[in-house]
Short mmCIF file of all heavy atoms in Angstrom, two decimals:
data_model
loop_
_atom_site.label_atom_id
_atom_site.label_comp_id
_atom_site.label_asym_id
_atom_site.label_seq_id
_atom_site.Cartn_x
_atom_site.Cartn_y
_atom_site.Cartn_z
N GLY A 1 105.68 114.86 97.31
CA GLY A 1 104.90 113.74 97.83
C GLY A 1 105.68 112.89 98.81
O GLY A 1 105.11 112.44 99.83
N GLU A 2 106.98 112.71 98.60
CA GLU A 2 107.80 111.94 99.53
C GLU A 2 107.98 112.71 100.84
O GLU A 2 107.94 112.13 101.92
CB GLU A 2 109.18 111.67 98.90
CG GLU A 2 109.13 110.68 97.76
CD GLU A 2 110.51 110.52 97.16
OE1 GLU A 2 110.95 111.45 96.45
OE2 GLU A 2 111.12 109.47 97.39
N ILE A 3 108.20 114.03 100.75
CA ILE A 3 108.33 114.82 101.97
C ILE A 3 107.04 114.73 102.81
O ILE A 3 107.07 114.50 104.01
CB ILE A 3 108.63 116.28 101.62
CG1 ILE A 3 110.04 116.39 100.97
CG2 ILE A 3 108.60 117.15 102.87
CD1 ILE A 3 110.35 117.77 100.48
N ASP A 4 105.91 114.84 102.15
CA ASP A 4 104.63 114.76 102.84
C ASP A 4 104.41 113.40 103.47
O ASP A 4 103.92 113.27 104.57
CB ASP A 4 103.46 115.10 101.87
CG ASP A 4 103.44 116.53 101.39
OD1 ASP A 4 104.07 117.39 102.09
OD2 ASP A 4 102.83 116.82 100.36
N TYR A 5 104.82 112.38 102.77
CA TYR A 5 104.67 111.02 103.26
C TYR A 5 105.48 110.82 104.52
O TYR A 5 104.98 110.26 105.52
CB TYR A 5 105.16 110.03 102.18
CG TYR A 5 105.15 108.57 102.61
CD1 TYR A 5 103.97 107.82 102.56
CD2 TYR A 5 106.31 107.94 103.07
CE1 TYR A 5 103.97 106.47 102.96
CE2 TYR A 5 106.32 106.62 103.49
CZ TYR A 5 105.11 105.92 103.42
OH TYR A 5 105.11 104.59 103.83
N LEU A 6 106.71 111.26 104.53
CA LEU A 6 107.56 111.12 105.72
C LEU A 6 107.03 111.96 106.89
O LEU A 6 107.02 111.51 108.03
CB LEU A 6 109.00 111.53 105.40
CG LEU A 6 109.73 110.64 104.40
CD1 LEU A 6 111.08 111.21 104.04
CD2 LEU A 6 109.88 109.22 104.93
N LEU A 7 106.60 113.18 106.62
CA LEU A 7 106.05 114.02 107.69
C LEU A 7 104.73 113.49 108.21
O LEU A 7 104.47 113.57 109.44
CB LEU A 7 105.88 115.47 107.18
CG LEU A 7 107.17 116.21 106.85
CD1 LEU A 7 106.86 117.59 106.30
CD2 LEU A 7 108.06 116.33 108.09
N GLU A 8 103.90 112.92 107.36
CA GLU A 8 102.66 112.29 107.84
C GLU A 8 102.96 111.13 108.75
O GLU A 8 102.24 110.88 109.74
CB GLU A 8 101.82 111.81 106.62
CG GLU A 8 101.18 112.97 105.89
CD GLU A 8 100.53 112.50 104.58
OE1 GLU A 8 100.49 111.25 104.35
OE2 GLU A 8 100.11 113.37 103.78
N SER A 9 104.01 110.37 108.44
CA SER A 9 104.41 109.26 109.31
C SER A 9 104.80 109.74 110.68
O SER A 9 104.38 109.16 111.69
CB SER A 9 105.60 108.51 108.66
OG SER A 9 105.24 107.96 107.40
N LEU A 10 105.55 110.84 110.74
CA LEU A 10 105.90 111.42 112.04
C LEU A 10 104.70 111.90 112.79
O LEU A 10 104.58 111.68 113.98
CB LEU A 10 106.88 112.56 111.83
CG LEU A 10 108.24 112.27 111.17
CD1 LEU A 10 109.07 113.53 111.11
CD2 LEU A 10 109.00 111.19 111.93
N GLY A 11 103.77 112.54 112.09
CA GLY A 11 102.56 113.04 112.72
C GLY A 11 101.68 111.99 113.27
O GLY A 11 100.87 112.23 114.16
N ARG A 12 101.79 110.80 112.74
CA ARG A 12 100.96 109.66 113.20
C ARG A 12 101.43 109.22 114.57
O ARG A 12 100.65 108.62 115.35
CB ARG A 12 101.06 108.56 112.16
CG ARG A 12 99.99 107.46 112.30
CD ARG A 12 100.07 106.46 111.17
NE ARG A 12 99.66 107.07 109.89
CZ ARG A 12 100.47 107.23 108.84
NH1 ARG A 12 101.69 106.81 108.87
NH2 ARG A 12 99.99 107.81 107.73
N TYR A 13 102.70 109.42 114.86
CA TYR A 13 103.25 108.90 116.10
C TYR A 13 103.62 109.95 117.16
O TYR A 13 103.48 109.72 118.34
CB TYR A 13 104.52 108.10 115.80
CG TYR A 13 104.27 106.70 115.24
CD1 TYR A 13 104.02 106.54 113.86
CD2 TYR A 13 104.23 105.60 116.05
CE1 TYR A 13 103.81 105.28 113.31
CE2 TYR A 13 104.00 104.33 115.52
CZ TYR A 13 103.79 104.18 114.15
OH TYR A 13 103.50 102.94 113.65
N PHE A 14 104.12 111.10 116.71
CA PHE A 14 104.71 112.07 117.63
C PHE A 14 103.78 113.24 117.88
O PHE A 14 103.05 113.67 116.98
CB PHE A 14 106.07 112.57 117.08
CG PHE A 14 107.12 111.50 117.04
CD1 PHE A 14 107.37 110.84 115.86
CD2 PHE A 14 107.86 111.19 118.16
CE1 PHE A 14 108.37 109.86 115.78
CE2 PHE A 14 108.83 110.20 118.11
CZ PHE A 14 109.10 109.55 116.90
N GLU A 15 103.87 113.80 119.10
CA GLU A 15 103.03 114.94 119.46
C GLU A 15 103.47 116.22 118.72
O GLU A 15 102.66 116.97 118.25
CB GLU A 15 103.11 115.14 120.98
CG GLU A 15 102.36 114.16 121.83
CD GLU A 15 100.83 114.34 121.76
OE1 GLU A 15 100.36 115.27 121.04
OE2 GLU A 15 100.14 113.59 122.42
N ASN A 16 104.75 116.44 118.70
CA ASN A 16 105.24 117.68 118.08
C ASN A 16 106.42 117.41 117.12
O ASN A 16 107.57 117.76 117.38
CB ASN A 16 105.73 118.66 119.17
CG ASN A 16 104.56 119.08 120.06
OD1 ASN A 16 103.63 119.75 119.65
ND2 ASN A 16 104.62 118.67 121.34
N PRO A 17 106.11 116.75 116.01
CA PRO A 17 107.16 116.48 115.02
C PRO A 17 107.57 117.74 114.27
O PRO A 17 106.85 118.72 114.30
CB PRO A 17 106.51 115.45 114.10
CG PRO A 17 105.06 115.84 114.14
CD PRO A 17 104.78 116.30 115.55
N PRO A 18 108.72 117.72 113.61
CA PRO A 18 109.10 118.88 112.79
C PRO A 18 108.15 119.12 111.65
O PRO A 18 107.55 118.20 111.10
CB PRO A 18 110.51 118.51 112.28
CG PRO A 18 110.60 117.02 112.42
CD PRO A 18 109.71 116.65 113.58
N ARG A 19 108.02 120.38 111.28
CA ARG A 19 107.16 120.77 110.13
C ARG A 19 108.05 120.93 108.88
O ARG A 19 109.25 120.98 108.97
CB ARG A 19 106.40 122.03 110.44
CG ARG A 19 105.49 121.92 111.62
CD ARG A 19 104.81 123.27 111.93
NE ARG A 19 105.81 124.33 112.15
CZ ARG A 19 105.50 125.57 112.47
NH1 ARG A 19 104.22 125.93 112.55
NH2 ARG A 19 106.44 126.47 112.67
N LYS A 20 107.38 121.06 107.76
CA LYS A 20 108.11 121.17 106.51
C LYS A 20 109.06 122.35 106.48
O LYS A 20 110.18 122.25 105.93
CB LYS A 20 107.13 121.22 105.34
CG LYS A 20 107.82 121.18 103.98
CD LYS A 20 106.80 121.21 102.82
CE LYS A 20 105.94 119.98 102.77
NZ LYS A 20 105.10 119.95 101.56
N ASP A 21 108.66 123.47 107.07
CA ASP A 21 109.50 124.67 107.02
C ASP A 21 110.69 124.56 107.98
O ASP A 21 111.55 125.46 108.00
CB ASP A 21 108.69 125.92 107.32
CG ASP A 21 107.99 125.87 108.69
OD1 ASP A 21 108.23 124.94 109.45
OD2 ASP A 21 107.22 126.80 108.98
N ALA A 22 110.76 123.49 108.75
CA ALA A 22 111.87 123.31 109.68
C ALA A 22 112.91 122.33 109.16
O ALA A 22 113.92 122.05 109.85
CB ALA A 22 111.36 122.80 111.02
N LEU A 23 112.72 121.80 107.98
CA LEU A 23 113.66 120.85 107.43
C LEU A 23 114.97 121.52 107.06
O LEU A 23 114.99 122.60 106.49
CB LEU A 23 113.06 120.15 106.20
CG LEU A 23 111.78 119.33 106.44
CD1 LEU A 23 111.36 118.64 105.16
CD2 LEU A 23 111.95 118.35 107.58
N ILE A 24 116.07 120.87 107.38
CA ILE A 24 117.40 121.40 107.18
C ILE A 24 118.00 120.92 105.85
O ILE A 24 118.71 121.66 105.18
CB ILE A 24 118.30 121.08 108.34
CG1 ILE A 24 117.78 121.73 109.64
CG2 ILE A 24 119.76 121.42 108.08
CD1 ILE A 24 118.50 121.25 110.88
N GLN A 25 117.68 119.68 105.50
CA GLN A 25 118.27 119.08 104.30
C GLN A 25 117.37 117.96 103.82
O GLN A 25 116.66 117.35 104.60
CB GLN A 25 119.69 118.55 104.59
CG GLN A 25 120.41 118.00 103.35
CD GLN A 25 121.70 117.30 103.78
OE1 GLN A 25 121.68 116.35 104.54
NE2 GLN A 25 122.86 117.75 103.22
N THR A 26 117.39 117.71 102.53
CA THR A 26 116.78 116.54 101.95
C THR A 26 117.77 115.89 101.00
O THR A 26 118.63 116.60 100.43
CB THR A 26 115.49 116.87 101.17
OG1 THR A 26 115.83 117.64 100.01
CG2 THR A 26 114.50 117.63 102.04
N PHE A 27 117.68 114.59 100.81
CA PHE A 27 118.53 113.95 99.80
C PHE A 27 117.86 112.65 99.33
O PHE A 27 117.05 112.04 100.05
CB PHE A 27 119.94 113.68 100.28
CG PHE A 27 120.08 112.72 101.42
CD1 PHE A 27 120.18 111.35 101.20
CD2 PHE A 27 120.13 113.16 102.75
CE1 PHE A 27 120.32 110.43 102.24
CE2 PHE A 27 120.27 112.28 103.79
CZ PHE A 27 120.38 110.92 103.57
N SER A 28 118.19 112.26 98.12
CA SER A 28 117.62 111.04 97.52
C SER A 28 118.75 110.24 96.90
O SER A 28 119.76 110.78 96.43
CB SER A 28 116.59 111.40 96.44
OG SER A 28 115.48 112.04 96.98
N GLY A 29 118.56 108.93 96.88
CA GLY A 29 119.50 108.02 96.22
C GLY A 29 118.76 107.00 95.43
O GLY A 29 117.54 106.73 95.70
N VAL A 30 119.41 106.45 94.46
CA VAL A 30 118.81 105.38 93.63
C VAL A 30 119.50 104.06 94.01
O VAL A 30 120.71 103.93 93.93
CB VAL A 30 119.01 105.66 92.15
CG1 VAL A 30 118.47 104.46 91.31
CG2 VAL A 30 118.24 106.91 91.75
N ARG A 31 118.68 103.10 94.40
CA ARG A 31 119.23 101.78 94.74
C ARG A 31 119.10 100.89 93.53
O ARG A 31 118.02 100.66 92.99
CB ARG A 31 118.43 101.20 95.92
CG ARG A 31 118.52 102.07 97.15
CD ARG A 31 117.46 101.67 98.17
NE ARG A 31 117.55 102.53 99.33
CZ ARG A 31 116.66 102.51 100.33
NH1 ARG A 31 115.67 101.68 100.28
NH2 ARG A 31 116.80 103.30 101.34
N PRO A 32 120.24 100.29 93.10
CA PRO A 32 120.19 99.41 91.94
C PRO A 32 119.91 97.97 92.39
O PRO A 32 120.81 97.12 92.58
CB PRO A 32 121.61 99.53 91.40
CG PRO A 32 122.45 99.78 92.61
CD PRO A 32 121.59 100.53 93.58
N LEU A 33 118.64 97.64 92.57
CA LEU A 33 118.25 96.34 93.11
C LEU A 33 118.14 95.34 91.95
O LEU A 33 117.69 95.70 90.85
CB LEU A 33 116.91 96.43 93.84
CG LEU A 33 116.88 97.47 94.97
CD1 LEU A 33 115.52 97.44 95.64
CD2 LEU A 33 118.00 97.26 95.96
N PHE A 34 118.55 94.11 92.24
CA PHE A 34 118.38 93.07 91.24
C PHE A 34 116.92 92.90 90.89
O PHE A 34 116.08 92.75 91.77
CB PHE A 34 118.96 91.75 91.77
CG PHE A 34 118.72 90.58 90.85
CD1 PHE A 34 119.23 90.56 89.55
CD2 PHE A 34 117.92 89.51 91.27
CE1 PHE A 34 118.99 89.48 88.73
CE2 PHE A 34 117.67 88.45 90.42
CZ PHE A 34 118.21 88.41 89.13
N ASP A 35 116.59 92.95 89.64
CA ASP A 35 115.20 92.91 89.19
C ASP A 35 114.64 91.51 89.25
O ASP A 35 114.94 90.65 88.41
CB ASP A 35 115.10 93.44 87.73
CG ASP A 35 113.64 93.73 87.33
OD1 ASP A 35 112.74 93.36 88.09
OD2 ASP A 35 113.46 94.35 86.28
N ASP A 36 113.86 91.23 90.31
CA ASP A 36 113.27 89.92 90.48
C ASP A 36 111.77 89.91 90.20
O ASP A 36 111.02 89.03 90.59
CB ASP A 36 113.49 89.41 91.92
CG ASP A 36 112.98 90.36 92.99
OD1 ASP A 36 112.36 91.38 92.62
OD2 ASP A 36 113.18 90.08 94.19
N ASP A 37 111.31 90.97 89.46
CA ASP A 37 109.92 91.05 88.98
C ASP A 37 108.89 91.23 90.05
O ASP A 37 107.69 90.96 89.82
CB ASP A 37 109.57 89.81 88.10
CG ASP A 37 110.41 89.71 86.84
OD1 ASP A 37 110.71 90.80 86.26
OD2 ASP A 37 110.81 88.61 86.50
N LYS A 38 109.29 91.68 91.25
CA LYS A 38 108.31 91.97 92.31
C LYS A 38 107.58 93.27 91.99
O LYS A 38 108.20 94.23 91.54
CB LYS A 38 109.00 92.08 93.66
CG LYS A 38 109.62 90.78 94.13
CD LYS A 38 108.58 89.84 94.69
CE LYS A 38 109.21 88.53 95.19
NZ LYS A 38 110.16 88.73 96.27
N ASP A 39 106.29 93.33 92.23
CA ASP A 39 105.50 94.51 92.00
C ASP A 39 105.78 95.60 93.02
O ASP A 39 105.83 96.82 92.68
CB ASP A 39 104.00 94.19 91.97
CG ASP A 39 103.60 93.29 90.78
OD1 ASP A 39 104.29 93.41 89.74
OD2 ASP A 39 102.66 92.52 90.91
N ASN A 40 105.89 95.23 94.29
CA ASN A 40 106.11 96.16 95.38
C ASN A 40 107.58 96.51 95.50
O ASN A 40 108.39 95.62 95.77
CB ASN A 40 105.56 95.55 96.66
CG ASN A 40 105.77 96.45 97.86
OD1 ASN A 40 106.20 97.59 97.74
ND2 ASN A 40 105.47 95.92 99.06
N PRO A 41 107.96 97.80 95.35
CA PRO A 41 109.40 98.13 95.47
C PRO A 41 109.99 97.72 96.79
O PRO A 41 111.17 97.39 96.87
CB PRO A 41 109.37 99.64 95.29
CG PRO A 41 108.16 99.96 94.51
CD PRO A 41 107.16 98.95 94.96
N SER A 42 109.20 97.79 97.87
CA SER A 42 109.72 97.39 99.19
C SER A 42 109.99 95.90 99.29
O SER A 42 110.76 95.47 100.17
CB SER A 42 108.73 97.81 100.30
OG SER A 42 108.59 99.21 100.33
N ALA A 43 109.38 95.11 98.41
CA ALA A 43 109.54 93.69 98.46
C ALA A 43 110.66 93.20 97.52
O ALA A 43 111.03 92.00 97.59
CB ALA A 43 108.24 92.96 98.07
N VAL A 44 111.19 94.07 96.71
CA VAL A 44 112.28 93.68 95.80
C VAL A 44 113.50 93.27 96.63
O VAL A 44 113.88 93.95 97.58
CB VAL A 44 112.67 94.83 94.84
CG1 VAL A 44 113.85 94.42 93.96
CG2 VAL A 44 111.47 95.24 94.02
N THR A 45 114.10 92.16 96.29
CA THR A 45 115.20 91.62 97.08
C THR A 45 116.34 92.59 97.19
O THR A 45 116.69 93.32 96.23
CB THR A 45 115.70 90.30 96.54
OG1 THR A 45 116.75 89.79 97.36
CG2 THR A 45 116.22 90.43 95.12
N ARG A 46 116.97 92.67 98.39
CA ARG A 46 118.22 93.42 98.57
C ARG A 46 119.42 92.49 98.43
O ARG A 46 120.52 92.91 98.72
CB ARG A 46 118.23 94.09 99.96
CG ARG A 46 117.67 95.50 99.98
CD ARG A 46 116.31 95.64 99.43
NE ARG A 46 115.75 96.99 99.58
CZ ARG A 46 114.58 97.40 99.14
NH1 ARG A 46 113.81 96.54 98.51
NH2 ARG A 46 114.16 98.65 99.29
N ASP A 47 119.23 91.28 97.99
CA ASP A 47 120.32 90.36 97.74
C ASP A 47 121.05 90.75 96.50
O ASP A 47 120.62 91.62 95.70
CB ASP A 47 119.75 88.94 97.63
CG ASP A 47 120.74 87.88 98.09
OD1 ASP A 47 121.95 88.22 98.22
OD2 ASP A 47 120.32 86.72 98.28
#
């Protein structure tokens, strides 16, 4: 789902973005954000 989300974003803007079969690497990390009880993960403080 994350791969599709990122590729859909590219497709929204670019004429010839890379396709899934052209990906060279993927990686994920976990960010330990201070829990300020925000519902939206993007809105959680990076402080």
Side-chain angles (χ1 to χ4, degrees):
E2 290 177 287
I3 294 174
D4 291 341
Y5 176 83
L6 294 173
L7 293 178
E8 286 171 8
S9 299
L10 298 182
R12 196 174 291 117
Y13 283 84
F14 294 97
E15 286 286 1
N16 296 295
R19 300 177 302 182
K20 186 179 293 188
D21 60 5
L23 299 184
I24 295 170
Q25 184 189 58
T26 66
F27 65 87
S28 296
V30 175
R31 299 164 181 174
L33 305 182
F34 174 62
D35 193 350
D36 57 4
D37 297 322
K38 294 282 180 62
D39 292 331
N40 178 5
S42 296
V44 178
T45 182
R46 268 55 176 178
D47 210 345

